[in-house]
Each structure stands twice: as C-alpha cells, then as structure tokens.
Amino acid sequence: HYFDVVIGGDTYKEKKPSPLPILKAVELLNGSPEQALMVGDTETDLVAGKGANVKTALAGWGYVKLNGNSPDYHLHNPKDLMDIVKIH
C-alpha cells in the first residue's frame, strides 16, 4: 500500500540499464520524464535514468560504483530527498 507502481527485474523483457522500466513506471503514473527522479546506488541506475531523460540521484549509502557517470544529485542520507522532491 506504500507504492502506486512496483516494477521488478522480471516485469518487462528489458531491465536496467535499459530505460524501458523507468519509462513504463512514468507512464503508469501518468507522469512525464520531466517530473521523474531515478534514485539509485549503481552506475546501471544512473545509465537507465539518463536514458529515460529523467533526473538522477545517487544514494551514497548503497553499492555506489560510478565508472565516470555523474548523477544530477548526490544523496548522503535519505532525508536529502526532501531538498529535491517537493511533497504536495
């Protein structure tokens, strides 16, 4: 009951780093890439987010392996999301 949409690795034929799961989630939520934020802790998350043309945020407490990719935002703890996401 906490989430409106849940997409796993087996939901679609393509998985990250393909942008398809992100694009499908945005579509199912009746949103747009401009309204979306991909929060992840791996390079795969960032590549998928960038491929979907959404902003990306790196969760610094996770796996964190970038190999030269750069997120739009760096998160040092979950509360940092409050500075990025406006809750209505």
Side-chain angles (χ1 to χ4, degrees):
H1 68 278
Y2 293 107
F3 302 100
D4 292 328
V5 173
V6 176
I7 295 174
D10 61 348
T11 304
Y12 299 107
K13 284 179 67 173
E14 297 178 29
K15 41 181 125 175
K16 299 179 302 183
S18 168
L20 179 70
I22 297 170
L23 292 170
K24 289 293 189 181
V26 169
E27 178 184 326
L28 290 168
L29 293 167
N30 297 313
S32 68
E34 296 80 27
Q35 298 170 303
L37 174 68
M38 172 62 171
V39 178
D41 65 349
T42 67
E43 179 180 38
T44 303
D45 298 324
L46 297 179
V47 170
K50 299 244 183 233
N53 291 316
V54 304
K55 295 285 186 186
T56 59
L58 179 69
W61 58 89
Y63 180 69
V64 186
K65 187 175 180 183
L66 296 181
N67 295 326
N69 284 295
S70 184
D72 296 297
Y73 304 98
H74 288 271
L75 306 174
H76 301 287
N77 64 65
K79 288 184 179 182
D80 289 343
L81 277 171
M82 299 297 285
D83 294 331
I84 300 168
V85 179
K86 293 181 181 173
I87 299 174
H88 300 281

